[in-house]
Structures are given as C-alpha cells and as structure tokens.
Amino acid sequence: MNNFEAHHALVGAIAIATSAYIYLASRTTEAKAKRAGARLAPGPKRMFLLGNLLEFPKDRWLETFTSWGKQYGDVVYLNLAGVPMIILSSLEAAEDLVGKRAAVYSGRPYARMVLD
C-alpha cells in the first residue's frame, strides 16, 4: 500500500469511528430525555458507554446509596452500561413515584376493570 492509499484508509477509519461515536451518543438515555424535553434525576457523573458501572458498589450498597442520597437528593439516577437505574433514598420519594404516579412510571398500560 502506498502512502496515498494509507492516508485514505486512515481518513476512512476516522470517519467511520466518528460516525459510530455520534450514533452511539444519540442513543443514550440522556440524549433521548433531552430530545423529549425531560430532565434526568441528578446522580454521579457518567462515563460514555460505561455510565456509572465502575462506581457502582460491589458490596456495602446501603452506605454508598445513603451517601449519594445525601449528595444528590432523594431520587438518584444511575446508568450501568446502558441499564438505567433509579435509587429512591426516602419513603416520601418512594410513595410519590410508586404510589401516586405508578401509571406514569410503570411502562405498562392501565387495564380498567368493569367495576372500576
């Protein structure tokens, strides 16, 4: 391969890598929320593609989640390599999201019974 062909191969590889990066970045939960006009709950800073996977505790979850709750608030958002996770640090937050807004956050259609 001559110098000219090597240069074109390098430019092509950079173009493919850039396109793949842009595509993957547009598919993240953060990008989807931004397009929908929504805001994600606060949480630890996420790395591209890995999210919070390296920060996620292997043991002593209670201490880590309690610390994050104090730092970021009652609702903490994590992303574990593409798997979104919400940590609720207070009973009030859990009752609000699970009890009062269950139909909004469950992701399942509400089935109305005959006697409802």
Side-chain angles (χ1 to χ4, degrees), residues 41-53:
K45 186 159 176 64
R46 295 171 287 281
M47 294 174 52
F48 182 67
L49 293 180
L50 293 179
N52 302 104
L53 188 64

Side-chain angles (χ1 to χ4, degrees), residues 60-73 87 89:
R60 305 180 74 78
W61 292 16
L62 180 62
E63 289 87 357
T64 304
F65 292 166
T66 302
S67 170
W68 285 344
K70 288 177 183 174
Q71 186 175 358
Y72 300 109
I87 298 170
S89 298

Side-chain angles (χ1 to χ4, degrees), residues 1-16:
M1 193 182 321
N2 65 27
N3 214 7
F4 183 74
E5 291 173 343
H7 176 71
H8 276 60
L10 178 63
V11 169
I14 290 172
I16 290 171

Side-chain angles (χ1 to χ4, degrees), residues 16-27 48:
I16 290 171
T18 303
S19 299
Y21 178 82
I22 291 170
Y23 173 76
L24 291 173
S26 71
R27 306 287 297 166
F48 182 67

Side-chain angles (χ1 to χ4, degrees), residues 41-42 69 72-77 86-102 105:
Y72 300 109
D74 290 341
V75 181
V76 178
Y77 174 79
I86 298 289
I87 298 170
L88 304 175
S89 298
S90 72
L91 181 61
E92 294 82 20
E95 286 176 342
D96 185 43
L97 291 176
V98 177
K100 296 177 186 172
R101 302 182 194 183
Y105 297 114

